[in-house]
Amino acid sequence: MHRLLLLGCLWLLAAPPASSIFQRPTGTPAPPHLQYLLEPLHPTVHTQRGATATLPCVLRALPHNYRVKWSKVEPANYRENIIIITNGLYHKNYGPLSPRVRLRHSHRYDASLTITNVALEDEGRYRCQLVNGLEDESVSLTLHLEGVVFPYQPSNGRYKFNYHEAKQACEQQDSRLATYQQLYKAWTEGLDWCNAGWILDGTVHYPIINSREPCGGRLLLPGVRTYGARDKQKDRFDAFCFTSALQGSQVYFIRGHLNFKEARQACHNHGAAIAKVGQLYSAWKFSQLDRCDGGWLADGSVRYPITTPRERCGGLPDPGVRSFGFPSKEMRTYGTYCFVGK
């Protein structure tokens, strides 16, 4: 009996305190908290201008007193602009996207964002954020428009735009300043241009496929070369514009020997408008418009689109939109390209 009591006392002295019996061993991770937001299967949503696109955001469960906030990351100022906030019962829209966005809400766990009549400026990165006390979560998605990047300069020559003028010039030609991602993609697809131009975030670049002396020298490797961020008011460069296909639109050519004023009137007589540069690039890229005929465009330039290069159409080996520059608007040498939208 005495031996049993002695063994019992020794066990109590050797045993850890009761509280430590239930403690998690050092180094063992805590059980994960519930992740409410489902990770999207496809983080990039592909769409076209004028279409309706939905960015998915679905909850596994509905926490108490939660909110879901949608925002868009703007590369021009690196800020997140709020688009819509909902608590599941009510919602409020914010900003310029307000008239064209709504929550899909196909079931009570669905907080997906639907954008109607997608515009060029809608492309970019979006964030769906669950606001739930200290347990906030978010998922990021990218809205991608298939498009084309083109360099642009005004009639008075190269390097005339400050940043704000470049932005306005692209918008006047049915396009917008390209993002770096759009310019990089265009370079991988063959864009080779020696003049530096503004892009949307206020930096300046130029894409080079074939290294050569006037473009930084033969020893530099091909790539998207950069001047970095520049003074948006004082510094002057060209612009890199981005445009996309527009559903239900058409660009066509009217033959003739027209001056600029007559070219505009000829399009008007057909119930159309004289085409902008971005519209011609879009028709070349997405409708395979191919003509050897120079035609007036809305900015006073004369250009023609080639999808099948041939000797008698400029002689260059690659497809593209060729330019005759900005001839005198009184010249009666060219036809005109007209644009009809939906």
Side-chain angles (χ1 to χ4, degrees):
M1 182 69 179
H2 289 88
R3 187 179 177 191
L4 289 174
L5 287 172
L6 179 61
L7 289 173
C9 291
L10 290 173
W11 182 86
L12 287 172
L13 289 171
S19 60
S20 69
I21 295 175
F22 301 102
Q23 287 180 351
R24 189 169 59 251
T26 304
T28 302
H33 71 275
L34 175 63
Q35 184 176 349
Y36 286 98
L37 294 179
L38 289 171
E39 286 292 330
L41 287 177
H42 304 288
T44 299
V45 175
H46 296 267
T47 188
Q48 288 186 322
R49 185 162 48 148
T52 296
T54 297
L55 299 168
C57 185
V58 177
L59 285 73
R60 297 174 190 267
L62 301 179
H64 293 293
N65 302 318
Y66 77 95
R67 289 178 299 153
V68 170
K69 179 176 71 174
W70 275 99
S71 56
K72 184 173 188 288
V73 181
E74 298 294 347
N77 53 24
Y78 302 103
R79 294 176 56 186
E80 286 197 15
N81 293 333
I82 297 175
I83 300 171
I84 195 168
I85 296 178
T86 181
N87 65 359
L89 296 175
Y90 306 99
H91 70 272
K92 185 174 181 180
N93 293 17
Y94 297 86
L97 267 173
S98 180
R100 297 189 289 111
V101 296
R102 57 180 170 81
L103 294 169
R104 182 173 64 180
H105 208 64
S106 59
H107 52 80
R108 66 196 187 106
Y109 301 106
D110 185 15
S112 302
L113 183 73
T114 295
I115 305 174
T116 60
N117 193 24
V118 170
L120 290 174
E121 59 269 21
D122 296 343
E123 172 155 310
R125 188 160 63 90
Y126 291 77
R127 190 160 77 113
C128 176
Q129 181 181 12
L130 173 67
V131 182
N132 180 33
L134 298 176
E135 301 295 330
D136 292 359
E137 300 175 23
S138 66
V139 293
S140 293
L141 299 109
T142 298
L143 186 67
H144 175 73
L145 277 72
E146 288 296 328
V148 56
V149 172
F150 61 93
Y152 189 74
Q153 57 184 223
S155 59
N156 57 343
R158 69 197 286 263
Y159 293 178
K160 300 296 183 181
F161 295 135
N162 67 22
Y163 172 81
H164 306 287
E165 292 164 345
K167 185 172 182 291
Q168 183 180 35
C170 288
E171 290 167 357
Q172 288 173 345
Q173 296 308 314
D174 192 50
S175 59
R176 71 188 297 240
L177 278 175
T179 64
Y180 181 82
Q181 290 78 10
Q182 290 164 347
L183 181 62
Y184 184 87
K185 183 173 184 290
W187 168 72
T188 65
E189 294 171 350
L191 182 60
D192 182 275
W193 196 255
C194 210
N195 293 348
W198 294 102
I199 62 172
L200 188 60
D201 64 3
T203 57
V204 175
H205 308 266
Y206 64 102
I208 293 296
I209 298 290
N210 302 306
S211 299
R212 50 202 186 273
E213 287 303 328
C215 304
R218 297 180 182 276
L219 298 181
L220 285 180
L221 293 174
V224 179
R225 298 176 184 165
T226 179
Y227 288 0
R230 310 297 289 196
D231 189 307
K232 292 182 177 181
Q233 293 287 354
K234 296 179 182 178
D235 290 327
R236 295 188 174 271
F237 298 95
D238 292 345
F240 286 105
C241 305
F242 171 84
T243 193
S244 181
L246 181 60
Q247 292 183 334
S249 66
Q250 181 188 9
V251 173
Y252 62 92
F253 181 75
I254 295 178
R255 190 182 298 277
H257 297 281
L258 310 171
N259 63 28
F260 178 70
K261 184 177 179 180
E262 292 166 344
R264 294 183 63 176
Q265 186 61 46
C267 292
H268 180 75
N269 292 345
H270 283 74
I274 189 169
K276 298 177 179 180
V277 177
Q279 292 164 347
L280 184 65
Y281 268 92
S282 177
W284 163 73
K285 178 74 172 180
F286 298 104
S287 301
Q288 287 73 55
L289 184 62
D290 182 288
R291 288 205 68 100
C292 239
D293 307 280
W296 291 103
L297 296 177
D299 66 341
S301 65
V302 173
R303 306 174 195 251
Y304 61 101
I306 295 295
T307 57
T308 305
R310 46 212 187 267
E311 190 62 36
R312 299 186 65 181
C313 294
L316 296 176
D318 300 315
V321 175
R322 319 279 196 240
S323 175
F324 287 117
F326 295 83
S328 168
K329 291 184 176 180
E330 300 304 316
M331 287 184 63
R332 284 190 170 90
T333 308
Y334 308 105
T336 185
Y337 288 97
C338 304
F339 172 81
V340 177
K342 357 184 221 183

